[in-house]
Amino acid sequence: MRRFFTPAWIGLHTIAIVLFGAFMGFGWWQFDRAQAGNDRSWGYTFEWPLFAIFVVVMWVKMMRDEVTGEETIPRGPKVIEEPAEKAVTRQIIERQESEDPELAAYNRYLNRLNSQTGRRD
């Protein structure tokens, strides 16, 4: 249980408690407004406590994951395979080269320009 008293976990506990309290407070505020005659506030009266419940569920899930040792974000490097998109693009270019050499030359020109900029927009 000591692992839950590190500075990072104390910060997470603080954030969870503050969010839970704020969301419940917003729910109470909307309940007061709804009783004063604001019909739209009835929806928010039930929405804010749902947000508070979500915070508690995620807080418990994070603590349970810490105890069981599961990682939600993998820490090691991943092997990145060539996307299927590149293989399909290569096949299309090969087909176009056999059908229309002028279009294929233009596509090679665009591909060269794209590789030189290094940008992906």
Side-chain angles (χ1 to χ4, degrees):
M1 287 305 186
R2 279 187 182 179
R3 68 181 93 177
F4 295 122
F5 294 108
T6 62
W9 273 103
I10 290 173
L12 287 173
H13 297 322
T14 304
I15 289 171
I17 291 168
V18 167
L19 284 176
F20 179 80
F23 291 162
M24 292 304 286
F26 292 151
W28 186 258
W29 170 60
Q30 290 295 332
F31 179 71
D32 286 343
R33 289 188 54 176
Q35 284 189 335
N38 188 347
D39 291 336
R40 185 182 300 169
S41 292
W42 282 112
Y44 295 123
T45 298
F46 299 107
E47 183 179 6
W48 284 111
L50 287 176
F51 290 155
I53 291 170
F54 178 75
V55 168
V56 171
V57 167
M58 292 308 296
W59 185 30
V60 169
K61 181 186 178 333
M62 287 171 50
M63 289 194 306
R64 185 176 294 160
D65 287 348
E66 180 72 22
V67 169
T68 60
E70 294 180 19
E71 291 187 15
T72 55
I73 301 173
R75 304 236 188 261
K78 292 174 67 176
V79 176
I80 299 175
E81 298 178 10
E82 179 181 352
E85 173 184 311
K86 287 196 176 206
V88 171
T89 304
R90 194 176 320 115
Q91 290 174 355
I92 291 171
I93 290 173
E94 288 172 2
R95 189 184 69 216
Q96 287 176 350
E97 284 180 352
S98 63
E99 293 175 1
D100 187 2
E102 190 174 312
L103 178 62
Y106 180 68
N107 284 335
R108 283 193 301 274
Y109 168 71
L110 290 178
N111 192 18
R112 190 175 67 241
L113 287 178
N114 188 29
S115 66
Q116 288 175 353
T117 61
R119 287 185 15 191
R120 293 273 183 195
D121 289 345

